[in-house]
Amino acid sequence: MRRALLLSTVLPFLAVAPMSLPAPADAQGRPFGSQTAGTTQTPAILVADQLFITPERTLVAQGNVEAFQGNTRLSAKKITFDQTEGSLQIEGPIRIDEGEDVTILADAAELDRDMRNGLLVGARMVFQQQLQLASLQMTRVGGRYTQLYKTAVTSCHVCNDGRPPLWQIRAERITHDQQEKQLYLESAQLRVMDVPVFYFPAIRLPDPTLERASGFLIPSLRTTSNLGTGVKVPYFLTLGPHRDLTIAPYVSSRTRTLDLRYRQAFRRGEIEINGAYTRDDLYPGEGRGYVFADGTFDLPRDFKLRFDVKSISDDAYLVDYGLDDLDRLRSEVVLSRVKRDSLLRASAISYKTLRDSENQDLIPSSIGNIYYERRFFPDRIGGEMRLSVETHGHNRTSDLEGNLTDAAGRDVGRATLDLDWRRSWRFNSGLVTEVSLGAAADIFEVFDDSVFDSTSTRFSPRSALTFRLPMTRREGSGATQYLEPILQIGWTDIGDTAVPNDESNFVEFDRGNLLELSRFPATDAREEGVTVAYGLNWARYSPSGWQASATIGQVFRDTNETRFTKSSGLGGTSSDLLLAAQLKLNDELAISTRGLLNGSLNFSKAEVRGDWMTDRASLTGTYLWLGTDPAEGRSEETSELWFDGSYEVSPGWTASANLRYDISDARATRAGVGLVYSNECVKVDLSVNRRYTSTTSVEPTTDFGFTIALNGFSVDGGSKSYRRSCKNT
């Protein structure tokens, strides 16, 4: 019925309105819609149950009235348009929607024909259905400014029983700049449960629709056993549409610190620089600080540049100020280009150790790498051919000469040329056979060493034959099982040239390199002789959503391999038995495990990791066991447990805890608990963290954290999962 009334009332109005209502003018005096302006003003559309024009040429619309002007939509009980005055008299309840972000509610209003200027009584302005400004009177000026008088501001749920919201800001006047998206408050008072807490003669806040604006961010309170109680008050400063700077002074009884963060976006890249300068009582009279910088850029011809630079004043700074928990600083600059059949990667790396057990002068602190690989698909022999060229160099600052047992100050440069061809065949029986042939030529330059030749070369041919038999079976329940036995026979000859092994000191044996002819992580070391590797992959996929997989594998060789470490599981003529499995139950629980089982049925390495997640809880845990291995710096067994979890105790309340426990020493190394309360208008975060370990430069510390945020003044502020109601407020 309304559709029929709409057609019968709107069409006559559209026919009469252009003759009776003069077009409004713009700021230069030109009528909107004139061709000189280049654009036309969006016409106003009025829809109502009843619409008529009085003899005095006054337009009256009543009953479910709706008016549209551009992206503005007005709903009211009755609208009266006076052509002579060019004004709209509106009877409420009134609702004005300006796009999807701002809604205005009022009891009555008098607006101009464009609904951009006028007076509203008993008005409320709501941003993104969260932050609301309630006032006795609202004035719209210039289509840009909205002034509210005797106003209360809050993002909390407001009940009609007279109880005050959790927090609110009372102000004599608030001006909203619609163009700059700013709120200017005069004579403002912050109240918690209607109790005055702070008074501000004037304050400026961004409205929630503004993504970036200069101003103060959420302050935080931090208490540590080393630095005492301090407060950090960050200030965000916009430097144009593509740059910003965050300045965060951190002050306590024992430190004066200035944190800085600079970000800039370019047309083809971005950078971010974090740093701080500190004067504290831990290092009296000395300046301390750090600088972390990273960035990425897209260069011409598909090249990409990435850098990540880290520098600190002393080894203890990161721990003292609760920054990244690092035991080495790795700075890197990478230039790369990846195409379908080629890869180029060049990098420069610098290391700084923070470990007490390492001497900075004796570790490779400067490393350079260039790697290029290209694929070919020869027609005559088929298959795929790969040609790669690699250069590597690392430098130690020490000038001490290395020997067989100690690298000391040895520096090494290496160049490698590698050619590899592989092809596979699939037979009717399902058997997949793959042949691989290849050879590598290496040249080494060695400095500051008394054992190895200054220049040496090595030629290493290799070949491998691999058999796979993938099989699948569909069960009556709809589940699918997958089974794949694998067998590989390989051969490599590296000759009798002695070269230093600086890059491949630590080796991991897992299902990712089970079928590699060399399981050393770099090409400075290669396995030699005839090897036989076997494995078995199994998996089951259930239609109900859970899935399981497992892998078992082992490697045999014709010669005793002594270059692998004890716990690598690869030494001798037969490797340890590789075991790996994973279980996933829908999206809630995932458990993965891997280990190396030796001939005595003892594990040399074992790891179990589990992740459990529900709507109210999450838990991540890891157990790690490593056997003794002097070559890897472990004179005793290592057994550790980590876990990190959270639980929603009740709507709005979330508790969390984390623990790192050294089972071998029967003591915790790290522990922490936290409690967060969050609803639609406030978020409170409390945390306590303890670091128990100590070194010559770092003492055990306890860190207390506290932050409180009033939600509603940010683009993504507020809790979407829990909103209080008037029954449980």
Side-chain angles (χ1 to χ4, degrees):
M1 185 65 180
R2 176 171 167 76
R3 183 178 180 88
L5 291 175
L6 183 150
L7 293 175
S8 64
T9 56
V10 174
L11 292 178
F13 169 71
L14 293 178
V16 174
M19 295 183 296
S20 58
L21 304 180
D26 64 9
Q28 283 74 36
R30 297 189 302 265
F32 285 121
S34 63
Q35 297 301 317
T36 57
T39 59
T40 58
Q41 173 74 356
T42 304
I45 300 175
L46 186 65
V47 182
D49 291 341
Q50 296 181 2
L51 190 149
F52 57 91
I53 301 176
T54 67
E56 292 78 16
R57 307 297 291 173
T58 299
L59 176 66
V60 179
Q62 59 186 17
N64 298 317
V65 181
E66 293 185 351
F68 303 90
Q69 173 75 35
N71 66 344
T72 302
R73 174 178 178 176
L74 181 149
S75 302
K77 181 180 179 181
K78 181 180 179 180
I79 294 181
T80 302
F81 176 70
D82 189 334
Q83 180 183 0
T84 304
E85 299 293 334
S87 63
L88 294 170
Q89 300 290 335
I90 308 173
E91 298 180 13
I94 302 170
R95 178 187 177 105
I96 303 175
D97 293 302
E98 297 181 347
E100 298 180 354
D101 294 327
V102 181
T103 300
I104 298 175
L105 307 174
D107 297 330
E110 181 177 349
L111 302 175
D112 64 4
R113 71 176 69 231
D114 296 324
M115 297 181 290
R116 294 165 54 87
N117 305 306
L119 177 67
L120 296 92
V121 179
R124 284 194 300 160
M125 177 180 287
V126 183
F127 292 95
Q128 296 181 335
Q129 299 182 0
Q130 182 178 1
L131 183 69
Q132 53 182 307
L133 293 73
S135 65
L136 295 178
Q137 179 178 301
M138 178 187 299
T139 304
R140 305 263 290 175
V141 181
R144 171 177 174 178
Y145 300 100
T146 302
Q147 295 179 342
L148 301 94
Y149 303 90
K150 301 293 184 180
T151 308
V153 183
T154 185
S155 59
C156 299
H157 188 79
V158 180
C159 301
N160 295 324
D161 55 8
R163 285 181 295 171
L166 184 60
W167 68 265
Q168 61 178 312
I169 298 177
R170 293 286 186 90
E172 288 292 329
R173 184 171 69 171
I174 297 179
T175 301
H176 176 232
D177 187 337
Q178 187 173 350
Q179 179 176 325
E180 297 295 333
K181 297 184 178 181
Q182 299 286 337
L183 294 170
Y184 299 91
L185 287 72
E186 302 176 20
S187 300
Q189 187 183 88
L190 174 63
R191 296 189 176 193
V192 178
M193 298 300 294
D194 211 25
V195 177
V197 177
F198 293 107
Y199 174 77
F200 307 95
I203 186 173
R204 176 184 58 83
L205 298 172
D207 79 31
T209 63
L210 182 61
E211 296 185 359
R212 299 173 68 250
S214 298
F216 287 99
L217 303 179
I218 301 171
S220 60
L221 186 68
R222 181 172 182 252
T223 300
T224 70
S225 53
N226 288 342
L227 300 174
T229 301
V231 61
K232 179 182 289 188
V233 183
Y235 184 85
F236 181 80
L237 181 63
T238 58
L239 304 174
H242 310 297
R243 296 181 297 167
D244 58 59
L245 175 66
T246 302
I247 305 172
Y250 171 52
V251 180
S252 76
S253 59
R254 303 189 62 184
T255 183
R256 299 292 185 273
T257 297
L258 182 64
D259 282 317
L260 299 172
R261 185 192 70 180
Y262 176 79
R263 300 185 302 180
Q264 182 169 356
F266 301 89
R267 186 180 299 275
R268 300 176 64 89
E270 60 184 12
I271 62 171
E272 179 174 336
I273 303 174
N274 291 272
Y277 179 75
T278 296
R279 305 283 288 190
D280 58 27
D281 295 346
L282 301 180
Y283 288 70
E286 297 183 17
R288 307 177 68 195
Y290 82 101
V291 175
F292 286 0
D294 62 83
T296 58
F297 289 91
D298 295 329
L299 304 180
R301 301 182 64 182
D302 298 324
F303 281 96
K304 293 183 180 295
L305 176 66
R306 177 179 62 86
F307 66 87
D308 185 1
V309 180
K310 295 180 173 63
S311 178
I312 59 174
S313 60
D314 55 85
D315 295 353
Y317 189 87
L318 298 181
V319 175
D320 289 342
Y321 287 87
L323 301 172
D324 296 342
D325 185 13
L326 303 174
D327 58 358
R328 289 193 184 105
L329 297 184
R330 185 177 189 269
S331 299
E332 182 179 30
V333 179
V334 180
L335 179 67
S336 63
R337 184 176 69 176
V338 180
K339 292 189 173 182
R340 181 182 181 274
D341 296 321
S342 65
L343 167 66
L344 175 63
R345 189 178 191 274
S347 63
I349 305 172
S350 175
Y351 278 99
K352 174 179 172 55
T353 183
L354 305 181
R355 299 179 178 181
D356 290 341
S357 58
E358 292 182 339
N359 186 335
Q360 179 67 35
D361 294 334
L362 301 181
I363 67 170
S365 56
S366 300
I367 302 173
N369 292 291
I370 300 177
Y371 181 82
Y372 176 77
E373 181 178 342
R374 186 167 182 83
R375 298 194 308 173
F376 302 93
F377 301 92
D379 295 331
R380 291 188 176 183
I381 60 176
E384 176 184 322
M385 184 174 292
R386 297 185 182 185
L387 175 66
S388 64
V389 180
E390 180 184 10
T391 62
H392 167 87
H394 59 262
N395 176 72
R396 296 175 172 89
T397 56
S398 172
D399 294 330
L400 297 175
E401 289 194 350
N403 51 56
L404 285 175
T405 59
D406 189 358
R410 180 169 61 216
D411 304 323
V412 179
R414 172 178 58 83
T416 299
L417 176 65
D418 190 282
L419 183 64
D420 181 82
W421 173 80
R422 60 188 63 191
R423 184 178 179 182
S424 61
W425 294 267
R426 182 182 295 273
F427 299 95
N428 293 332
S429 62
L431 180 68
V432 179
T433 303
E434 181 180 276
V435 174
S436 175
L437 300 173
D442 305 295
I443 181 170
F444 291 83
E445 293 287 338
V446 181
F447 308 91
D448 295 332
D449 190 271
S450 60
V451 176
F452 299 101
D453 295 337
S454 59
T455 302
S456 56
T457 59
R458 182 180 64 185
F459 180 72
S460 305
R462 64 183 183 273
S463 63
L465 180 62
T466 306
F467 302 95
R468 302 172 182 265
L469 185 59
M471 297 174 285
T472 60
R473 182 171 71 92
R474 177 64 63 90
E475 301 178 3
S477 62
T480 301
Q481 288 199 44
Y482 172 83
L483 185 67
E484 182 188 42
I486 301 172
L487 178 66
Q488 183 192 73
I489 303 173
W491 168 81
T492 304
D493 181 24
I494 63 173
D496 56 0
T497 303
V499 295
N501 178 14
D502 280 2
E503 305 170 58
S504 303
N505 293 321
F506 299 95
V507 180
E508 286 290 333
F509 179 35
D510 54 34
R511 51 185 169 183
N513 58 16
L514 174 63
L515 299 180
E516 295 290 337
L517 289 180
S518 178
R519 293 158 191 86
F520 288 102
T523 56
D524 63 331
R526 303 176 190 272
E527 295 185 47
E528 186 179 20
V530 178
T531 60
V532 176
Y534 76 89
L536 183 68
N537 293 322
W538 171 85
R540 186 179 189 274
Y541 302 92
S542 171
S544 61
W546 72 271
Q547 61 187 53
S549 63
T551 297
I552 183 173
Q554 194 172 16
V555 179
F556 298 95
R557 54 177 59 89
D558 64 337
T559 59
N560 184 27
E561 181 57 76
T562 60
R563 290 175 296 169
F564 290 112
T565 61
K566 175 184 176 182
S567 62
S568 68
L570 289 167
T573 57
S574 63
S575 73
D576 292 350
L577 193 64
L578 169 65
L579 302 172
Q582 185 180 53
L583 174 66
K584 185 177 181 181
L585 301 179
N586 299 319
D587 295 328
E588 293 185 354
L589 178 64
I591 300 174
S592 59
T593 178
R594 63 172 181 158
L596 299 177
L597 189 67
N598 58 30
S600 303
L601 299 182
N602 293 320
F603 282 98
S604 57
K605 289 182 179 180
E607 180 182 13
V608 180
R609 177 184 174 88
D611 296 277
W612 176 62
M613 181 175 294
T614 65
D615 293 338
R616 297 187 59 182
S618 66
L619 178 65
T620 298
T622 302
Y623 170 76
L624 176 66
W625 187 88
L626 300 174
T628 59
D629 193 340
E632 294 186 2
R634 290 191 307 275
S635 58
E636 298 180 355
E637 296 178 353
T638 297
S639 180
E640 291 188 347
L641 175 68
W642 299 274
F643 88 84
D644 190 345
S646 63
Y647 178 71
E648 185 179 337
V649 181
S650 63
W653 290 93
T654 301
S656 62
N658 64 85
L659 174 68
R660 181 171 181 175
Y661 188 80
D662 190 334
I663 301 176
S664 302
D665 292 342
R667 66 184 182 92
T669 56
R670 295 180 181 274
V673 294
L675 183 64
V676 176
Y677 174 76
S678 179
N679 59 29
E680 79 282 358
C681 64
V682 69
K683 181 178 181 180
V684 182
D685 190 341
L686 300 128
S687 63
V688 180
N689 292 280
R690 173 70 176 173
R691 186 180 188 274
Y692 295 90
T693 56
S694 62
T695 65
T696 57
S697 58
V698 177
E699 295 291 334
T701 58
T702 302
D703 190 332
F704 297 88
F706 173 73
T707 59
I708 181 170
L710 303 181
N711 294 329
F713 293 101
S714 62
V715 176
D716 55 354
S719 170
K720 303 300 182 182
S721 59
Y722 171 62
R723 298 184 66 88
R724 300 176 303 149
S725 67
C726 293
K727 294 182 179 179
N728 56 22
T729 300

